[in-house]
Amino acid sequence: MSEIVNPILRGFNPDPSIIRVEDDYYIATSTFEWFPGVQIHHSKDLRNWELLPRPLTRKSQLDMLGNPSSGGVWAPCLSYHEGTFYLIYTDVKSHIGPFKDTHNYLVTATDIQGPWSEPIYLNSSGFDPSLFHDDNGKKWLVNMVWDHRKNKNSFGGILLQEYSPQEEKLVGSIRNIFKGTSLGLTEAPHLYKKNGYYYLVTAEGGTRYNHAVTVARSQSLFGPYEVDPKGPVLTSKGKPELALQKAGHASIVETQDNEVYMVHLTGRPLPGSENCNLGRETSIQKAVWTDDHWLRLEDGGNRPHERVEAPSLPEFTIKPVPETDDFDGEGLSIHFNSLREPICEEWVSVKERPGYLRLRGRESMNSNHRQSLIARRQQSFSFLAETEVECCPQTFQHMAGLIYYYNNRNYYYLCISKDEEAGKCLYIMSNDQGDYDESLDAPISIEGWEKVYLKAEIEYHDLQFYYSPDGENWTAVGPVLDAGKISDDHAELKKGGTLLDQGFTGAFIGLCSQDLSGRDFYADFDYFSYVERDDQSQSCFRTTEKPRYVNQ
């Protein structure tokens, strides 16, 4: 019996929405402030998954300049009907305090790899929108409604309204069809039809350690909806011994042989900690329809399993992801992401100096607008990242280097800059819940160096930076830093009972450049390598290429 090893989508891949189109399976996940918008992975066996070109690639589809950290794309819903893919998503403009500005849109495509249409605006009443295609041809949008009023339940229920493809807008009356259970924080609605019932799958309990999946059903689309008497169909709540925590926010799919699987959000905390620097990931569980027509996990319990029986499908073979990008091609790896806006020649180029990535410095790490930063997800607890940089900083306001990044209030940055005494130099910049610091007592002079090699070594809780003149002889820079702080859990900040910041993404490692002087500073990067070193790699992430790092 073959098994699926969880998580199936490692690293920051939350809020999964799964569909099957004939023999192909697709999962869409949230991307928040990272561009391009919405990750879509493809599989044919539910075990091995490949990342496809992302659907939201144009500013006209997703304009996030100024969006707060952990704003942007929340909880996309992917569906398919009569030859067309439908993708619903929210662009969140604010989410701290009593109000949430949440604008919901729809794009379509006849090919999962695009091109995807310009967006159709739907509504702004809440987040987690989902489109249901009923068997009578009608289409219905469900989303949670946000209630900002004092002494009200902020998660005010699940709204239902018809969508008219002909008019390209929502039409008819709006109904609140489900107010949730005592778990509270009812969100992430998905509708399904089976066995003469409409099934409403929602997430409850919040997206942290009390997360859960609730199933309710009704013989009428408009309700009332009866909640499964056994309680949550899936949760990790109260089970600290489980490797897969935060289980919730689910959607379901049936295979060609009518086997049922549920994909769901999960988080894996660092040992002895509640911090998940891999962010919220996607796992899968096998489910069944009971004789009395409830959806349950196959074993009859409700806890997520690390290993799940795989369906009887041929193995899906995909190409391994290269560990090193030499920047020799015409574009960048699909695994690179930027913040809030598309990568464009204005600030990043592999053409100006062939064989190098040129990053033109722009705004500071604090900016919610134009940052010159490209990065990839951390997908393993243990990895090495390395690059070689050439740049000529003329002032302390010029910076470039290697960054371990959660958001603009939480990061560690090994950067090259200019100091009045040390000349061209290295130092470590950090931000911890918005508190800025520098980890070195004094900058390290590299005056006269044409190039410098930079490396970050992550081993679970620990981050150590290194530098080298030749890529062979390495010297540690600064102290061992706490990698656990680059996590959702640490990013969430409360003072005096007031929520000041939230985190919904995950750790990234990448390259960046800043020019706070406006003197057209840039940095050239010869390569970027990301090498996983533990045994978590699924087949779709394995590679036989030789690493470009040297152990000390």
Side-chain angles (χ1 to χ4, degrees), residues 240-354:
E241 73 280 5
L242 298 181
L244 302 179
Q245 292 292 320
K246 304 182 178 180
H249 200 124
S251 64
I252 61 175
V253 70
E254 292 195 359
T255 70
Q256 299 92 311
D257 297 325
N258 299 316
E259 295 178 283
V260 187
Y261 285 85
M262 174 184 292
V263 294
H264 63 93
L265 181 156
T266 190
R268 291 179 293 163
L270 289 161
S273 170
E274 289 194 348
N275 291 343
C276 304
N277 59 352
L278 294 177
R280 299 173 305 155
E281 307 173 286
T282 288
S283 287
I284 192 168
Q285 307 297 324
K286 192 168 185 181
V288 294
W289 294 107
T290 64
D291 291 341
D292 56 350
H293 306 309
W294 284 109
L295 178 70
R296 305 268 171 75
L297 296 191
E298 186 183 40
D299 68 352
N302 67 358
R303 62 177 55 199
H305 299 280
E306 292 180 79
R307 294 180 178 271
V308 176
E309 180 184 351
S312 301
L313 296 171
E315 183 175 1
F316 181 46
T317 303
I318 57 180
K319 294 180 180 179
V321 178
E323 291 177 335
T324 299
D325 191 334
D326 287 307
F327 305 127
D328 291 330
E330 294 185 359
L332 297 178
S333 164
I334 193 174
H335 293 276
F336 275 123
N337 304 262
S338 56
L339 285 167
R340 298 180 177 84
E341 62 174 332
I343 293 172
C344 68
E345 283 288 321
E346 176 187 349
W347 60 275
V348 57
S349 177
V350 292
K351 298 176 182 178
E352 288 191 41
R353 185 183 179 189

Side-chain angles (χ1 to χ4, degrees), residues 149-163:
R149 294 173 295 175
K150 186 177 180 179
N151 299 324
K152 293 287 187 178
N153 180 1
S154 298
F155 290 74
I158 304 303
L159 300 187
L160 173 77
Q161 189 176 11
E162 186 178 355
Y163 172 73

Side-chain angles (χ1 to χ4, degrees), residues 41-56:
H41 284 82
H42 167 236
S43 179
K44 285 181 177 288
D45 61 7
L46 296 180
R47 295 175 61 237
N48 302 290
W49 295 85
E50 62 179 349
L51 180 63
L52 299 182
R54 298 176 187 85
L56 306 180

Side-chain angles (χ1 to χ4, degrees), residues 144-449:
M144 67 79 65
V145 59
W146 181 259
D147 192 337
H148 64 270
R149 294 173 295 175
K150 186 177 180 179
N151 299 324
K152 293 287 187 178
N153 180 1
S154 298
F155 290 74
I158 304 303
L159 300 187
L160 173 77
Q161 189 176 11
E162 186 178 355
Y163 172 73
S164 169
Q166 295 75 27
E167 299 176 72
E168 296 189 338
K169 66 178 184 180
L170 296 174
V171 297
S173 59
I174 302 171
R175 297 174 172 88
N176 193 324
I177 61 171
F178 186 63
K179 291 294 185 71
T181 75
S182 60
L183 292 176
L185 307 177
T186 308
E187 57 186 342
H190 290 288
L191 275 169
Y192 303 91
K193 195 172 186 180
K194 182 82 173 180
N195 306 317
Y197 288 98
Y198 291 92
Y199 290 88
L200 181 63
V201 178
T202 63
E204 294 196 296
T207 194
R208 305 298 188 203
Y209 285 88
N210 292 330
H211 213 190
V213 178
T214 296
V215 176
R217 72 184 185 189
S218 172
Q219 292 183 323
S220 167
L221 176 65
F222 309 119
Y225 280 83
E226 170 196 9
V227 177
D228 187 338
K230 284 194 67 175
V233 67
L234 178 71
T235 187
S236 307
K237 181 181 179 181
K239 307 176 183 76
E241 73 280 5
L242 298 181
L244 302 179
Q245 292 292 320
K246 304 182 178 180
H249 200 124
S251 64
I252 61 175
V253 70
E254 292 195 359
T255 70
Q256 299 92 311
D257 297 325
N258 299 316
E259 295 178 283
V260 187
Y261 285 85
M262 174 184 292
V263 294
H264 63 93
L265 181 156
T266 190
R268 291 179 293 163
L270 289 161
S273 170
E274 289 194 348
N275 291 343
C276 304
N277 59 352
L278 294 177
R280 299 173 305 155
E281 307 173 286
T282 288
S283 287
I284 192 168
Q285 307 297 324
K286 192 168 185 181
V288 294
W289 294 107
T290 64
D291 291 341
D292 56 350
H293 306 309
W294 284 109
L295 178 70
R296 305 268 171 75
L297 296 191
E298 186 183 40
D299 68 352
N302 67 358
R303 62 177 55 199
H305 299 280
E306 292 180 79
R307 294 180 178 271
V308 176
E309 180 184 351
S312 301
L313 296 171
E315 183 175 1
F316 181 46
T317 303
I318 57 180
K319 294 180 180 179
V321 178
E323 291 177 335
T324 299
D325 191 334
D326 287 307
F327 305 127
D328 291 330
E330 294 185 359
L332 297 178
S333 164
I334 193 174
H335 293 276
F336 275 123
N337 304 262
S338 56
L339 285 167
R340 298 180 177 84
E341 62 174 332
I343 293 172
C344 68
E345 283 288 321
E346 176 187 349
W347 60 275
V348 57
S349 177
V350 292
K351 298 176 182 178
E352 288 191 41
R353 185 183 179 189
Y356 289 80
L357 172 74
R358 175 162 292 179
L359 277 178
R360 295 194 174 276
R362 295 191 297 170
E363 294 176 349
S364 75
M365 302 309 304
N366 278 14
S367 177
N368 284 339
H369 292 83
R370 295 176 174 85
Q371 286 197 42
S372 294
L373 182 153
I374 64 165
R376 63 150 298 148
R377 285 161 174 75
Q378 177 183 350
Q379 295 182 289
S380 166
F381 287 116
S382 179
F383 73 91
L384 289 173
E386 183 185 314
T387 190
E388 182 258 290
V389 194
E390 297 179 25
C391 63
C392 298
Q394 301 300 310
T395 167
F396 68 93
Q397 293 181 313
H398 292 166
M399 294 162 280
L402 184 64
I403 191 163
Y404 187 47
Y405 183 93
Y406 183 84
N407 62 18
N408 56 12
R409 294 171 59 87
N410 298 274
Y411 57 81
Y412 298 112
Y413 181 18
L414 176 59
C415 69
I416 306 162
S417 190
K418 183 72 175 284
D419 180 76
E420 290 85 349
E421 296 181 2
K424 187 176 180 180
C425 64
L426 289 172
Y427 69 99
I428 296 174
M429 179 190 305
S430 67
N431 218 333
D432 181 354
Q433 294 184 335
D435 293 332
Y436 175 82
D437 197 10
E438 296 173 10
S439 301
L440 303 180
D441 293 332
I444 298 171
S445 178
I446 53 170
E447 182 65 27
W449 292 29

